[in-house]
Amino acid sequence: MTENKVSAHFSVSLARQPIIDSRLAVMGYELLYRKSADAIEADVFDEVGATAQVLSTSLLELGMENIVGSNKAFINYPRAYLLNSKSMPVNKDNVVIEVLENAGYDAILLSSLRRWVKAGCSIALDDFVFESKLTPFVELAEYVKLDLLTLGHDSFHEQVAALRGFDLKIIAEKVETWEDYQFCRLLGVEYFQGYFFEKPEVISSKASKVNSMTLLQLMSSLLNATDMSIEEVERIISQDAGLVHKLLRYLNSPITGLVASVDSVRLAIMLVGIEHLKSLTNILLMSEMISDKYVLLENIMVRAKHAELLAGARGYDNQDKYFLAGMLSMMDVCTGMKLEVVLGELPLPAEFINAIVHRSGRVGNTLSLVESYSNGLVINDAKDLEDLKSTYLDAIKWTDEFISVI
């Protein structure tokens, strides 16, 4: 089987717009959905999908730390996500959950927001218009965002006055001119956002694709199984290189606080935990990261399984390490980036990275043999050739079984 270089990556984008304090210093960024790098407006048809795309791009691709640094990230949450405080992982230190104006301010939402706040999350009420009946919501909020352009100066002034008695910070949105800025400052507003300071900046990156059927299979298993084994979760995740990459990328983000290195899919699953894995799977499903590149999937899985089986035939320990190395050795194809760059972003031991990139040690030698055999190159050692032949057929059979069910 030849390893055709089928592209398995695509571009992901989001926009960020700074929120400025009274000293004109950035205190945070609102992260906004963008369909592509050249999109000017959000063009949102599905709020749930748009939020999922922003979260998956920031958490699993660009890295939240690269987008906002030590500042806060304001992210719009639709009602469907607000009603489930376990719906997705949140870095409580720097993420502010924005409640959209159409979220439906009822008792159900209030109860859900109380759970978010009790869990340590910060709440912002977006495009808010105060009424006395909404007092319980205001009391929960750390920020209230008032749309200056929509309200006009007079109504904006009334809103600021009505919110004076609450322990919260007001953010003036749609500040378009110097006069708008000075008007808000005179009212004692602390934070500002709008075109006067900066238009939303689009940030893009290449990202690895994930097979939607794998995600559906994983989510179904996670939701329906009462006592699902780590081995079964590993079996499902291991069939998709893009999913493995995103899992490791998430583990290497500050939100996890991970200090250990990972050299197997099983260890990655154990460190993330089943509940967070459900959340990540949900995000990826909702953001519709779909891959139909079965030729590439087959190539990756054969290489990964071939490396694992060859290691087993030679009596090597930790054979799952060889599977992961085989899979990661093709991440340059999945992401469109240099292999050393991709692996450098993951929580991998340095020697493991060297084995994959520079083919050092047992792992590297195993990868070299597997790759040479699959590419039809000459294998000089008769024992190597014998082991490669027998394990290759088993790797193909195993891969065919996987592909038949996704």
Side-chain angles (χ1 to χ4, degrees):
M1 181 183 297
T2 58
E3 296 190 18
N4 300 324
K5 296 291 184 178
V6 181
S7 173
H9 63 270
F10 68 123
S11 293
V12 292
S13 303
L14 58 75
R16 67 174 191 177
Q17 187 175 31
I19 298 173
I20 310 296
D21 65 19
S22 57
R23 296 175 291 113
L24 299 182
V26 175
M27 63 80 71
Y29 294 91
E30 181 173 0
L31 305 186
L32 304 161
Y33 169 78
R34 290 295 184 270
K35 185 177 181 180
S36 62
D38 55 1
I40 299 175
E41 300 293 336
D43 196 21
V44 174
F45 292 98
D46 173 18
E47 291 178 345
V48 171
T51 296
Q53 184 69 64
V54 169
L55 286 164
S56 63
T57 300
S58 57
L59 287 175
L60 307 177
E61 306 299 346
L62 296 171
M64 190 71 78
E65 68 280 7
N66 297 321
I67 303 172
V68 302
S70 60
N71 299 302
K72 294 186 179 298
F74 288 71
I75 301 177
N76 295 322
Y77 275 51
R79 180 181 175 92
Y81 280 154
L82 292 172
L83 296 186
N84 183 5
S85 59
K86 295 182 179 180
S87 62
M88 59 195 69
V90 173
N91 187 338
K92 300 168 186 176
D93 294 331
N94 73 340
V95 171
V96 178
I97 296 167
E98 288 202 22
V99 181
L100 297 173
E101 65 275 17
N102 61 354
Y105 285 97
D106 56 19
I108 297 174
L109 180 64
L110 181 62
S111 177
S112 297
L113 292 180
R114 283 173 174 157
R115 287 196 294 270
W116 283 100
V117 172
K118 185 177 181 180
C121 298
S122 296
I123 301 294
L125 306 180
D126 189 30
D127 290 338
F128 192 69
V129 178
F130 177 73
E131 302 176 49
S132 58
K133 66 180 181 181
L134 300 179
T135 295
F137 292 92
V138 177
E139 291 174 340
L140 286 175
E142 185 173 344
Y143 303 91
V144 167
K145 302 181 77 174
L146 302 178
D147 188 327
L148 178 61
L149 190 62
T150 300
L151 290 171
H153 283 203
D154 289 343
S155 294
F156 185 91
H157 190 176
E158 293 172 1
Q159 286 291 310
V160 171
L163 294 168
R164 285 286 184 214
F166 297 98
D167 182 20
L168 53 78
K169 305 173 185 69
I170 294 176
I171 300 174
E173 292 186 290
K174 305 287 179 63
V175 178
E176 308 288 282
T177 65
W178 171 259
E179 289 74 18
D180 286 343
Y181 170 58
Q182 289 300 322
F183 170 76
C184 294
R185 283 196 64 191
L186 289 173
L187 293 179
V189 173
E190 300 175 75
Y191 299 106
F192 315 88
Q193 179 181 359
Y195 283 7
F196 173 67
F197 306 100
E198 188 176 324
K199 292 183 178 181
E201 171 195 9
V202 178
I203 306 173
S204 298
S205 175
K206 291 178 179 177
S208 54
K209 290 184 179 179
V210 178
N211 190 292
S212 59
M213 294 305 295
T214 305
L215 291 171
L216 288 168
Q217 183 184 10
L218 178 60
M219 180 59 82
S220 176
S221 298
L222 291 172
L223 292 177
N224 295 327
T226 56
D227 188 25
M228 190 178 188
S229 67
I230 294 295
E231 289 78 9
E232 176 63 11
V233 178
E234 179 188 20
R235 185 191 71 80
I236 297 172
I237 291 177
S238 293
Q239 68 188 331
D240 195 303
L243 183 54
V244 171
H245 173 249
K246 293 181 193 302
L247 180 64
L248 293 173
R249 184 71 178 82
Y250 172 73
L251 273 175
N252 202 39
S253 65
I255 189 174
T256 65
L258 178 69
V259 294
S261 295
V262 178
D263 59 8
S264 74
V265 175
R266 185 172 304 181
L267 179 57
I269 294 167
M270 293 172 67
L271 289 170
V272 169
I274 295 300
E275 286 304 315
H276 270 163
L277 188 57
K278 289 180 183 177
S279 300
L280 293 173
T281 305
N282 176 60
I283 289 172
L284 291 171
L285 274 172
M286 291 301 100
S287 61
E288 298 180 346
M289 293 186 178
I290 298 173
S291 170
D292 295 318
K293 304 299 184 181
Y294 291 104
V295 173
L296 179 65
L297 170 63
E298 185 179 24
N299 290 334
I300 292 174
M301 298 313 298
V302 168
R303 178 185 287 191
K305 194 63 178 179
H306 197 189
E308 178 191 322
L309 293 175
L310 182 60
R314 296 184 163 200
Y316 297 161
D317 295 330
N318 302 319
Q319 291 156 28
D320 55 345
K321 178 189 298 186
Y322 292 82
F323 184 97
L324 181 61
M327 180 175 282
L328 293 179
S329 69
M330 294 187 70
M331 285 313 304
D332 53 341
V333 185
C334 291
T335 64
M337 297 184 287
K338 291 183 178 180
L339 190 58
E340 56 268 31
V341 174
V342 179
L343 300 184
E345 296 178 342
L346 306 179
L348 303 170
E351 63 182 79
F352 194 56
I353 294 177
N354 287 331
I356 298 170
V357 176
H358 303 296
R359 303 300 165 87
S360 60
R362 278 185 173 180
V363 173
N365 179 59
T366 302
L367 286 178
S368 293
L369 287 171
V370 166
E371 184 177 17
S372 296
Y373 184 80
S374 64
N375 287 332
L377 301 181
V378 175
I379 307 296
N380 294 317
D381 188 282
K383 184 62 169 68
D384 286 345
L385 184 58
E386 180 184 348
D387 290 341
L388 285 164
K389 280 183 177 179
S390 62
T391 51
Y392 182 65
L393 293 175
D394 289 339
I396 291 177
K397 181 180 178 182
W398 180 87
T399 300
D400 288 342
E401 290 174 355
F402 259 134
I403 291 178
S404 69
V405 298
I406 62 174

